Amino acid sequence: MTEGAEQDLEAIHDYIAEFDSVASAHHVLDQLLEVVESLAQLPERGSFPAELVALGIKEYRQAWFKPYRVIYRVIGNQVIIYLIADGRRNLQSLLARRLLGR
């Protein structure tokens, strides 16, 4: 998991803890970590993010714990998590900054 993805998890946890409850924040964090861990078993199961496919990019995949998207890439036998974000947001600019350095 990249540093950016770890920061995403922290921010999601902190936001839920502040605006809902600490218990809900822990639950969402646990579920997101389960999604991340499950990718080690079936990394190819994720779909391609539409925002990247529109740019002709098909190296990245996504898995969900709704509404959160886990954006990752499979390189050899390694799964690298790049981004974890609320899928209700417009992610095009965030994906471009984080994954493409734009």
Side-chain angles (χ1 to χ4, degrees), residues 2-3 6 31 37 49 56-57 66 69 71 78 81:
T2 63
E3 186 177 325
E6 288 177 7
Q31 294 300 309
E37 290 169 13
I57 299 167
K66 295 213 177 205
R69 293 166 70 178
I71 308 294
Q78 200 174 29
I81 310 298

Side-chain angles (χ1 to χ4, degrees), residues 1-10 81-84 98:
M1 188 175 308
T2 63
E3 186 177 325
E6 288 177 7
Q7 290 171 352
D8 294 339
L9 281 176
E10 278 183 43
I81 310 298
Y82 287 93
L83 174 74
I84 302 171
R98 184 80 59 90

